[in-house]
Amino acid sequence: MSDFEQDMINDFVEEARELLASIEDDFIILEKQKDNPDTELINKIFRAVHTIKGTSGFLGLKNIGRIGHIMETVMSKIRDREIRPESDFVDALLAGADLLKRMTANIAESNDINIEQIYDKLSSIVNIVEIESVLFDKTENDVKKSVSSSDSSTVQLNASEKNNTQQEVDDKLIAEFVLDAKKIIDTIESDFKILKTQLVNPNVTLINKIHRAVDTFKSTSELLNFYNLYKTTDQISIILLQIRNHQIIANDEHIDIIIRAIDKIHIMLDDISYSNEMDLTDFYNDFARIIQSKSALNTQVGGKKIVVSEVDTSKENDNIYENLTKSDFIPDNKEPLLIKTPEASNTVRIHINVLDKLMRLAGELVLVRNQQIINIHQSGGINRGIIQKLDKVTTELQETIIQTRLQPIASLFGKFPRVVRELNRKLNKEIVLKLNGSEVEMDKTIIELLAGPLTHLVRNAGDHGIEPTEERIRLGKPARGKIELKAYHEGSFVIIEIVDDGRGINPNLIKKSALRLGMKTEADVLKMNESEIVNMILLPGFTTALEISDISGRGVGMDVVKESIEKVNGTIEIQSQIGNGTTVYLKVPLTLAIIQCLVITSEGNYYAIPQINVEELITLYDNDIDENIESTGDQEIFMLRNTLLPIVHLNECLQHSRKFTKKDKREIIEKNSQSNRFHDLDYSSDNNQYCSIDHSSELHFAVLKYGKHKYGLVFDKIIGTEEIVVKPMHPFVKNLKIYSGSTIMGNGKVALILDVENIALHTSIDFNVNDAFASRNKVNKIEEEKESILLFKAGDKEQFALALPIVKRVDQINLSEIQKAGNEEFYIKDNIPIKIIRLNTIINVSECIESDKMYLVLPKFSAKPCGILASEMCDIKDIPVKINTSTYVAEGIMGTDIIDRKLTLFLDLYRIIELSDPSYIISEGKIKKPMFPNIEIKILLADDSSYMRQLISGYLVEAGYVVVTAEDGNVAMEKLFEQKFDLIVSDIEMPNMNGFDFITNVRKGNIQSEIPAIANSSLNSPDIINKALECGFNKYIVKIQKEKLLSTVSALIEEALNN
Amino acid sequence: MVTKLLLESAKDKNLTKQYVTFWLENKRFGIDILDVKEIYSDVSVTPICHSTEDVRGYINIRGEIYLVADLRMLLGLQKTFINVEEKLIIFKDHLFESFGVVIDKIADVVSIKDSEIEKFSTDATEIHEGYLWNNQFKIVEGIFKTENGLILILNGENIVQSILSKSKHNQAQ
């Protein structure tokens, strides 16, 4: 299709849409004045339909043409008073208009749309009329007329059929004539419109012009034997001559009949071969009457007379449908039409690009102005007055340009009379619609987007809000329900209220439904106030279907409404009073071209995030950064009020131009966690290469949402919020999905607008996996991951920690009771000497502060009693522990963690005891390490406690084994599938899959089912031990007996190797 | 209209065309003055991460956002780091909307007869006398010899084509 044709079609669609929108109301008005329809109104509709028909025929849009044609026929019948605009007919016409709308909206497929049903409906009206008129005529015994009338009905039908098939007329001459004739008739029509404005004193030149055109037409049609055409044009020509010669003073009736004649000509031209078969007798009679009555016109009010005579005929038609009394008819009602000047066109169609350019230039002008203002300040205020003027004019200019994009909301409100009318008919209710603030203007795109949600809300109000008439009367309310639509400005927003005076929303029902649907708990609901409860109907999936109606409950689809309102950056709120009605408030911005954005920086460049996607901003300081951001292997997460929020770094996202793979994500986390860790001990300055994110002070991230997903986006700095003008991406970079557009900031720099959804996709945030992790992790977090930690101090500097399960007890002692024996110190309790270990003698820590009250920490499982001397017991805490092993590694220290913002050293108790005196460790045959120097022995360690994992794997690694850890049986199983192991050490009590199930599964399975396994648990009851052995563990060792564990491990491995 | 006429008459071999000349890595290049909208001296662009390396970024010129490409990269030359003499050549819309390239240093406008340009249509990497670059997209369409050295004549359309095809390739990844 050529550009030209496409342009033509686009113009047509635009025009058709405007025409259809403008006539929709007219149909409804028409219906109301069914007894006495306004001719001007009918003509308006007729012309609109006619224009659509004509153009669509030219563009080969057959279906639109057909519907247009049949609607035109119906309208012409109404105009000719052959039928009255009964509701049924108006229904059919509205259906036709809807169909036209649908087809014009989807012009390319309009020819494939099934139009038969509506077409039939419309043509049946035409048929009814024909048949009625036959009947009517028969009663009059006018046989000749009846015959011709039925003839014309077949012609009509044939004509409409032929409209499809008779497109190609072979006779070139006729085709040419028709083409010419159409052009001529169009000119005549438009000239006539001008003439109509100067009825009193017609312009002779114009009349001559029309007359000449009509004459040409007349003679050609005579030549081609189109008798009807000839006669019609002849009649027009006569009237024109009379007007020119001042034989008659032209009035509306003349104009009316000429317009009718022109329309008839149109119809004939559309179906030229049938034109001669059309029955135009009535029409000619009318003509004759007008022409004859010319003599009377100068003295009488001819217009009125003719009206009355017309009324007479149509009245009898009416009688066929309804037994109307004559008094129903008030001919005076229809005054001779005022001579209206055609609406002077005070609007211009402008392409949106021109407006955009104007807008852009105005924006630039603002920048220039700003620079100039700075300049003025520097130069000491010369020409200040001029600049102030420039300032004012610029601002005004910008505002005006923004206005050009705005449209009155009337175009949206205009469709609601019809919606309400349909509701009334369907629901048998009496609802009055009140519109308020139709003049309020807003962006065209927003108006278009609001149509759906608003219709839904109005339907809801009518359907569920307004009570049936009887009920209203019973309740003492006015019988007619009322729905009011109000629009007004509020700042840069427009508020639209949908108010009904119906039954309101019952919060109790909403509450019940919410509970029934499991959306809220009893406790949640108790905390909510009434308005919060009512607004719950906006939640996705909410319905009160059970309570309110069988078909649809109030609230069905309200989430969709909410969604579409939010799409245009708007908000929705509901207020309701039982018995008094409901009000829905929509708050929508004036325009979409300007959006509110959060402006941030990353690597020194500005980026904008649409405010609508931003939930909240979070800044973490110092330790919080490491404590609150965790990782799950390949996804960083932040604990946000009991939900897990995946975190991505904008810097990383921008640096990796390809979609993140799992490996990428792991590397990034590695990188970040390293820089985090260095930060712990202020090493960051030495490791600049890892410090792309400055951890030394703060970490900013925005909680972003799209759809139902949320994630955190880490960036460098917040600049603030700004209203920005969105511009699309340049075609060269349009493929970069992470940007949704670009914009110019106040400082003249270009900033990119980030696409929140595509950033999530690019960085491969897997929200599902995260959910799974969330459920698993939650259990771990609350029940298993927490460790009981004993915190104490010895010297004044360090805080130490020991896992409570390995502590036997803590004794309070008096320093004076300590007895010395050589280099060693002892404390006697119950006649048992307990060896005192001073930490500063073993590891490099500050010296123990001595006071009267000292403490002795006694470990479990030492061969001889011993205790660590402590100066202060700080706390016992149940907290999740993440021991950082690489930060501070020394003999006797497992690692560090930050507890209560203090760096805490986790002691390797047994190592310390061993260091102080090896004999204090239970040793059944010293372990020579490494046991198996030539082979790599791989051990799978399953334990839910990270502390224990750390501790035990530490022992095993120290003894020369390779250790892979798993936090529960499930994970251990996965690991077992992935790699080969030589031995399993497993805890019994674990979440998800405990040790019993784990080993049972291993033994039953076919992968490494023979692997030796050791149960290692703090549970120490014969039942448990027996059960563990029954399930398939080879050995059971009570936690924590380092030497026994190691010797068992080596024994089992040796055994396995020998086999 | 005038432009169109000029363009058409420019096909005439003996017609003299004016070329905007400029320097890139010590070589002089020229581009048809009718393709050039303006020379802009501010090259401080906003980088667009994830774009191909030929794309420098966005710049705001009088309220319109232009995409700026790096002509060095398009020709397969080395990237420069800091060069205060860099200028932006903004192309006219008939070549491509809102588009310009960065060059090292601007030089004179030179009038050259069409017949004096030694045309070549090689897509070889090596073009002339050891001038090494990637001419895959036939960005360099001819050479003009002056007393002071060579001027390599560039084809504006092919500059656009090269970016378009590279950006498509980028998408395919």
Side-chain angles (χ1 to χ4, degrees):
Chain A
M1 190 179 289
S2 71
D3 282 356
F4 175 70
E5 267 176 68
Q6 190 56 51
D7 282 352
M8 290 283 287
I9 288 181
N10 288 347
D11 283 348
F12 166 66
V13 169
E14 190 74 13
E15 190 183 15
R17 201 178 291 154
E18 276 170 24
L19 285 170
L20 288 169
S22 73
I23 60 172
E24 191 161 274
D25 283 345
D26 298 339
F27 281 126
I28 290 162
I29 300 169
L30 188 66
E31 187 188 13
K32 281 185 190 139
Q33 2 166 287
K34 55 178 94 162
D35 296 330
N36 192 10
D38 179 355
T39 321
E40 185 61 24
L41 191 73
I42 298 173
N43 281 337
K44 187 184 162 206
I45 301 175
F46 186 90
R47 278 195 300 273
V49 177
H50 179 78
T51 314
I52 294 171
K53 183 191 89 169
T55 325
S56 61
F58 173 71
L59 293 169
L61 303 162
K62 282 188 226 155
N63 272 351
I64 295 177
R66 274 185 80 195
I67 290 291
H69 177 80
I70 195 78
M71 283 176 75
E72 191 188 73
T73 315
V74 174
M75 283 317 294
S76 73
K77 300 267 178 208
I78 293 176
R79 191 182 52 194
D80 298 346
R81 303 287 194 271
E82 284 177 37
I83 51 173
R84 288 172 8 123
E86 293 295 332
S87 295
D88 286 341
F89 298 165
V90 173
D91 269 351
L93 284 169
L94 283 171
D98 278 350
L99 188 64
L100 285 179
K101 243 189 243 175
R102 235 176 51 225
M103 289 193 285
T104 45
N106 194 357
I107 203 84
E109 282 154 33
S110 74
N111 280 350
D112 302 331
I113 290 173
N114 183 7
I115 60 163
E116 293 313 320
Q117 203 185 339
I118 289 165
Y119 185 84
D120 289 347
K121 209 162 145 193
L122 284 163
S123 58
S124 73
I125 296 173
V126 178
N127 290 342
I128 286 171
V129 174
E130 303 295 353
I131 293 159
E132 301 286 9
S133 72
V134 171
L135 289 173
F136 169 72
D137 289 342
K138 269 191 178 147
T139 55
E140 299 270 302
N141 282 328
D142 191 341
V143 179
K144 185 193 159 211
K145 216 177 176 187
S146 90
V147 170
S148 60
S149 212
S150 56
D151 260 352
S152 86
S153 97
T154 46
V155 168
Q156 282 292 351
L157 284 174
N158 284 343
S160 47
E161 277 167 23
K162 290 287 174 180
N163 228 7
N164 264 345
T165 53
Q166 279 265 182
Q167 297 256 329
E168 294 119 21
V169 182
D170 294 334
D171 197 329
K172 269 190 184 170
L173 198 64
I174 293 176
E176 252 167 53
F177 162 69
V178 170
L179 265 181
D180 274 353
K182 276 184 178 171
K183 261 184 229 156
I184 292 169
I185 206 81
D186 278 346
T187 344
I188 292 173
E189 204 169 26
S190 59
D191 287 339
F192 236 100
K193 278 179 194 156
I194 302 168
L195 188 66
K196 221 166 90 181
T197 65
Q198 11 174 283
L199 283 183
V200 184
N201 190 12
N203 181 337
V204 180
T205 337
L206 188 68
I207 297 180
N208 280 338
K209 187 185 161 205
I210 301 174
H211 187 247
R212 269 199 307 277
V214 173
D215 245 16
T216 325
F217 200 150
K218 191 176 80 175
S219 46
T220 328
S221 46
E222 192 182 14
L223 196 74
L224 291 167
N225 281 328
F226 291 125
Y227 176 70
N228 268 343
L229 273 178
Y230 165 72
K231 188 143 188 218
T232 314
T233 42
D234 187 43
Q235 302 278 350
I236 298 176
S237 147
I238 292 170
I239 291 189
L240 280 171
L241 274 176
Q242 287 183 345
I243 294 174
R244 191 183 63 183
N245 300 339
H246 300 287
Q247 286 169 321
I248 53 166
I249 293 169
N251 66 18
D252 286 308
E253 291 312 316
H254 296 111
I255 302 295
D256 195 37
I257 196 121
I258 290 173
I259 289 174
R260 275 172 64 194
I262 289 171
D263 291 334
K264 284 273 195 285
I265 293 171
H266 271 302
I267 295 169
M268 287 190 268
L269 286 176
D270 283 340
D271 238 317
I272 195 75
S273 54
Y274 283 85
S275 71
N276 279 353
E277 291 166 47
M278 267 174 97
D279 174 56
L280 297 168
T281 325
D282 275 358
F283 182 59
Y284 296 144
N285 289 343
D286 283 350
F287 253 118
R289 224 179 14 242
I290 287 172
I291 293 164
Q292 279 155 20
S293 67
K294 65 173 179 180
S295 51
L297 281 172
N298 287 334
T299 47
Q300 277 194 359
V301 191
K304 216 165 200 175
K305 190 183 158 203
I306 294 162
V307 169
V308 174
S309 71
E310 268 193 19
V311 159
D312 281 342
T313 46
S314 61
K315 194 176 69 195
E316 277 162 90
N317 267 343
D318 292 340
N319 284 338
I320 297 165
Y321 296 108
E322 269 174 55
N323 287 321
L324 274 178
T325 54
K326 285 200 174 178
S327 61
D328 276 330
F329 224 92
I330 311 152
D332 282 343
N333 216 8
K334 186 176 189 300
E335 290 161 14
L337 283 167
L338 288 171
I339 298 163
K340 279 188 202 156
T341 47
E343 267 185 42
S345 173
N346 50 7
T347 53
V348 181
R349 258 196 233 174
I350 300 175
H351 200 279
I352 204 92
N353 285 352
V354 179
L355 292 183
D356 283 346
K357 188 165 185 192
L358 270 175
M359 185 98 165
R360 195 171 67 223
L361 291 173
E364 194 60 23
L365 194 58
V366 171
L367 282 179
V368 174
R369 175 199 66 187
N370 293 348
Q371 284 163 9
Q372 192 59 35
I373 287 172
I374 294 166
N375 198 17
I376 284 294
H377 282 301
Q378 284 164 351
S379 64
I382 311 158
N383 296 333
R384 186 184 293 266
I386 298 173
I387 294 305
Q388 275 170 351
K389 246 184 239 166
L390 174 71
D391 185 13
K392 217 171 134 190
V393 172
T394 313
T395 314
E396 216 163 292
L397 179 69
Q398 201 183 16
E399 280 167 5
T400 316
I401 290 167
I402 290 172
Q403 259 179 30
T404 59
R405 301 176 64 99
L406 305 181
Q407 251 190 3
I409 204 166
S411 59
L412 174 60
F413 278 7
K415 63 180 276 193
F416 287 104
R418 166 137 185 236
V419 171
V420 171
R421 172 183 173 274
E422 262 161 26
L423 277 175
N424 282 343
R425 276 172 67 83
K426 243 196 302 199
L427 303 167
N428 235 345
K429 287 180 184 176
E430 269 188 83
I431 302 169
V432 186
L433 179 74
K434 237 180 112 184
L435 298 175
N436 225 327
S438 296
E439 72 287 347
V440 168
E441 291 191 318
M442 51 197 306
D443 198 297
K444 199 180 162 194
T445 28
I446 295 186
I447 289 184
E448 279 162 11
L449 286 169
L450 277 180
L454 215 51
T455 314
H456 190 98
L457 290 172
V458 169
R459 282 221 179 105
N460 251 2
D463 198 355
H464 310 297
I466 306 279
E467 308 91 334
T469 316
E470 315 85 64
E471 195 183 327
R472 290 184 69 90
I473 293 167
R474 193 158 37 80
L475 290 168
K477 284 183 169 186
R480 291 179 152 194
K482 195 175 83 182
I483 295 177
E484 192 175 356
L485 291 177
K486 281 190 223 170
Y488 52 89
H489 283 284
E490 198 182 275
S492 60
F493 287 88
V494 170
I495 312 283
I496 301 173
E497 286 182 24
I498 300 105
V499 190
D500 70 60
D501 66 346
R503 54 168 77 97
I505 303 171
N506 186 345
N508 287 329
L509 290 182
I510 304 293
K511 225 189 280 183
K512 266 188 220 157
S513 304
L515 292 175
R516 179 170 50 83
L517 294 166
M519 292 173 145
K520 294 278 179 232
T521 63
E522 199 84 51
D524 287 340
V525 173
L526 275 178
K527 271 185 262 168
M528 297 168 93
N529 62 28
E530 208 157 278
S531 121
E532 280 173 331
I533 288 170
V534 168
N535 280 288
M536 279 201 300
I537 66 169
L538 298 172
L539 293 174
F542 186 88
T543 171
T544 56
L546 275 183
E547 280 83 3
I548 285 184
S549 116
D550 325 332
I551 314 147
S552 66
R554 179 148 216 181
V556 168
M558 285 301 275
D559 57 318
V560 181
V561 171
K562 191 183 179 205
E563 214 170 84
S564 22
I565 298 294
E566 282 175 351
K567 210 175 266 170
V568 295
N569 297 356
T571 55
I572 179 169
E573 203 194 308
I574 300 167
Q575 272 180 20
S576 174
Q577 259 189 312
I578 303 179
N580 285 337
T582 310
T583 304
V584 182
Y585 296 90
L586 304 179
K587 189 175 175 185
V588 283
L590 275 176
T591 167
L592 267 187
I594 297 172
I595 58 168
Q596 193 82 26
C597 271
L598 172 73
V599 183
I600 50 136
T601 66
S602 168
E603 312 265 331
N605 293 314
Y606 283 45
Y607 295 92
I609 306 170
Q611 193 77 52
I612 197 75
N613 292 117
V614 181
E615 282 266 287
E616 59 186 307
L617 292 170
I618 294 175
T619 302
L620 297 178
Y621 296 95
D622 303 327
N623 293 335
D624 286 346
I625 299 168
D626 318 313
E627 282 172 31
N628 294 323
I629 295 192
E630 299 175 43
S631 69
T632 68
D634 54 15
Q635 180 66 57
E636 275 184 284
I637 47 165
F638 173 75
M639 193 75 172
L640 178 73
R641 291 185 289 275
N642 293 328
T643 59
L644 289 168
L645 186 76
I647 298 276
V648 290
H649 296 261
L650 182 56
N651 292 354
E652 300 292 347
C653 172
L654 295 173
Q655 275 160 25
H656 290 69
S657 61
R658 266 187 296 162
K659 196 168 185 286
F660 283 26
T661 59
K662 283 207 162 174
K663 191 168 159 256
D664 292 334
K665 290 174 77 178
R666 270 197 296 274
E667 276 168 14
I668 289 162
I669 287 169
E670 184 77 359
K671 212 156 105 177
N672 287 329
S673 67
Q674 272 181 30
S675 58
N676 280 2
R677 201 176 296 145
F678 290 129
H679 155 70
D680 285 351
L681 295 174
D682 285 331
Y683 284 176
S684 49
S685 51
D686 304 330
N687 289 279
N688 282 329
Q689 81 247 42
Y690 288 119
C691 292
S692 59
I693 298 142
D694 184 9
H695 278 281
S696 63
S697 52
E698 49 200 45
L699 179 81
H700 306 284
F701 63 94
V703 180
L704 305 179
K705 61 157 189 234
Y706 71 95
K708 57 185 188 348
H709 297 307
K710 279 188 193 177
Y711 68 95
L713 184 69
V714 178
F715 47 82
D716 293 352
K717 248 199 271 173
I718 305 167
I719 301 300
T721 57
E722 207 167 308
E723 282 192 340
I724 61 165
V725 181
V726 182
K727 289 167 192 203
M729 292 298 280
H730 194 274
F732 289 165
V733 285
K734 209 152 204 163
N735 52 356
L736 307 177
K737 294 278 178 274
I738 61 163
Y739 309 112
S740 62
S742 53
T743 188
I744 299 170
M745 307 296 301
N747 61 4
K749 286 264 171 227
V750 179
L752 291 157
I753 304 165
L754 299 175
D755 186 311
V756 168
E757 180 170 354
N758 281 313
I759 285 183
L761 296 176
H762 184 83
T763 51
S764 310
I765 300 177
D766 194 339
F767 293 96
N768 290 332
V769 161
N770 221 41
D771 290 344
F773 178 83
S775 61
R776 193 176 78 199
N777 213 42
K778 239 181 206 165
V779 181
N780 288 352
K781 276 258 160 357
I782 297 158
E783 293 161 16
E784 269 79 28
E785 277 283 339
K786 284 192 176 170
E787 310 280 349
S788 294
I789 301 288
L790 172 71
L791 296 172
F792 65 95
K793 276 186 164 182
D796 56 344
K797 285 179 191 153
E798 302 85 359
Q799 176 169 282
F800 300 103
L802 275 173
L804 213 49
I806 56 168
V807 175
K808 198 175 193 176
R809 64 169 198 269
V810 179
D811 287 345
Q812 192 185 330
I813 58 163
N814 196 324
L815 208 57
S816 56
E817 292 171 39
I818 293 177
Q819 301 181 10
K820 292 205 174 184
N823 282 337
E824 296 183 349
E825 290 172 304
F826 291 94
Y827 170 74
I828 313 290
K829 178 141 188 197
D830 301 333
N831 286 328
I832 299 166
I834 301 167
K835 187 190 166 186
I836 289 173
I837 301 169
R838 285 178 186 264
L839 286 174
N840 56 314
T841 61
I842 295 161
I843 47 180
N844 185 20
V845 291
S846 54
E847 203 170 307
C848 190
I849 303 166
E850 301 203 345
S851 66
D852 285 350
K853 257 193 187 172
M854 298 294 284
Y855 301 90
L856 211 51
V857 183
L858 278 75
K860 282 179 183 168
F861 313 120
S862 63
K864 293 178 236 169
C866 61
I868 293 170
L869 190 66
S871 61
E872 189 190 339
M873 288 294 124
C874 300
D875 207 348
I876 292 174
K877 277 201 171 221
D878 281 334
I879 47 164
V881 176
K882 262 185 77 186
I883 298 174
N884 209 335
T885 47
S886 51
T887 47
Y888 196 98
V889 187
E891 282 266 63
I893 293 175
M894 278 197 300
T896 59
D897 194 10
I898 310 285
I899 295 170
D900 290 345
R901 300 182 171 243
K902 280 185 202 127
L903 183 69
T904 305
L905 302 179
F906 278 74
L907 298 177
D908 184 346
L909 190 57
Y910 295 101
R911 186 77 189 130
I912 286 171
I913 297 169
E914 197 179 4
L915 287 168
S916 80
D917 186 345
S919 68
Y920 276 74
I921 291 293
I922 303 162
S923 52
E924 296 160 2
K926 263 264 191 225
I927 309 293
K928 300 150 256 150
K929 52 177 181 179
M931 275 295 296
F932 310 98
N934 298 325
I935 2 165
E936 187 190 86
I937 305 291
K938 223 171 178 184
I939 295 174
L940 177 62
L941 172 67
D943 200 317
D944 55 309
S945 145
S946 74
Y947 178 77
M948 284 298 171
R949 282 203 300 275
Q950 201 86 51
L951 189 73
I952 297 167
S953 74
Y955 294 153
L956 294 170
V957 169
E958 191 188 8
Y961 303 108
V962 177
V963 180
V964 173
T965 58
E967 53 267 30
D968 61 39
N970 266 340
V971 180
M973 281 307 284
E974 283 167 24
K975 298 260 156 101
L976 210 56
F977 283 122
E978 284 166 12
Q979 24 189 316
K980 190 177 175 331
F981 293 98
D982 299 288
L983 184 105
I984 293 170
V985 176
S986 172
D987 192 7
I988 296 295
E989 284 291 304
M990 288 185 293
N992 299 328
M993 188 194 284
N994 65 25
F996 299 133
D997 295 341
F998 169 52
I999 197 67
T1000 314
N1001 286 340
V1002 171
R1003 296 296 180 228
K1004 271 199 297 197
N1006 44 18
I1007 294 162
Q1008 308 183 49
S1009 60
E1010 297 299 317
I1011 188 168
I1014 300 169
N1016 186 32
S1017 168
S1018 47
L1019 302 169
N1020 192 4
S1021 82
D1023 290 353
I1024 301 265
I1025 294 172
N1026 284 334
K1027 190 179 173 194
L1029 295 175
E1030 268 169 36
C1031 285
F1033 283 108
N1034 301 61
K1035 291 277 190 246
Y1036 192 104
I1037 298 167
V1038 177
K1039 270 183 197 164
I1040 293 171
Q1041 306 177 62
K1042 180 183 172 186
E1043 296 300 323
K1044 192 171 175 192
L1045 178 69
L1046 289 178
S1047 60
T1048 315
V1049 166
S1050 64
L1052 281 175
I1053 285 173
E1054 205 157 358
E1055 198 179 303
L1057 286 177
N1058 290 340
N1059 286 344
Chain B
M1 200 56 211
V2 178
T3 317
K4 207 177 166 192
L5 280 177
L6 281 172
L7 281 173
E8 268 165 22
S9 57
K11 279 174 188 158
D12 188 349
K13 280 257 168 187
N14 289 317
L15 202 97
T16 306
K17 279 206 276 186
Q18 286 188 304
Y19 288 86
V20 176
T21 67
F22 52 87
W23 296 90
L24 269 183
E25 207 170 80
N26 304 324
K27 272 116 207 165
R28 200 164 167 199
F29 290 84
I31 190 150
D32 191 341
I33 201 166
L34 294 179
D35 285 344
V36 177
K37 187 173 177 182
E38 67 176 300
I39 311 292
Y40 200 71
S41 50
D42 183 2
V43 292
S44 53
V45 298
T46 301
I48 304 167
C49 295
H50 292 196
S51 61
T52 55
E53 55 177 9
D54 325 297
V55 174
R56 271 276 182 105
Y58 274 144
I59 192 163
N60 164 27
I61 300 176
R62 291 183 300 281
E64 191 166 345
I65 298 178
Y66 286 82
L67 186 96
V68 178
D70 195 329
L71 196 51
R72 280 177 159 268
M73 302 313 289
L74 284 173
L75 286 165
L77 301 172
Q78 288 295 306
K79 216 173 191 158
T80 43
F81 286 94
I82 295 164
N83 174 7
V84 287
E85 287 182 303
E86 271 188 334
K87 291 272 186 299
L88 195 54
I89 293 183
I90 299 292
F91 292 116
K92 283 195 178 154
D93 285 352
H94 72 85
L95 217 55
F96 208 91
E97 232 171 82
S98 319
F99 170 57
V101 292
V102 172
I103 47 107
D104 281 4
K105 190 182 169 185
I106 197 78
D108 301 333
V109 173
V110 181
S111 295
I112 305 173
K113 269 189 194 161
D114 227 24
S115 54
E116 291 171 336
I117 296 175
E118 183 191 320
K119 302 245 175 185
F120 54 83
S121 56
T122 169
D123 56 359
T125 307
E126 185 168 343
I127 292 177
H128 204 270
E129 296 177 13
Y131 284 29
L132 265 168
W133 43 63
N134 180 0
N135 201 28
Q136 189 193 339
F137 294 97
K138 302 194 171 84
I139 294 175
V140 183
E141 66 172 6
I143 287 185
F144 172 68
K145 289 187 176 113
T146 68
E147 303 110 56
N148 305 327
L150 300 173
I151 296 177
L152 292 128
I153 305 298
L154 299 182
N155 181 323
E157 305 248 339
N158 289 348
I159 292 177
V160 170
Q161 283 311 316
S162 71
I163 296 205
L164 274 178
S165 101
K166 281 182 184 180
S167 105
K168 261 184 208 146
H169 184 66
N170 191 33
Q171 190 173 24
Q173 278 191 344

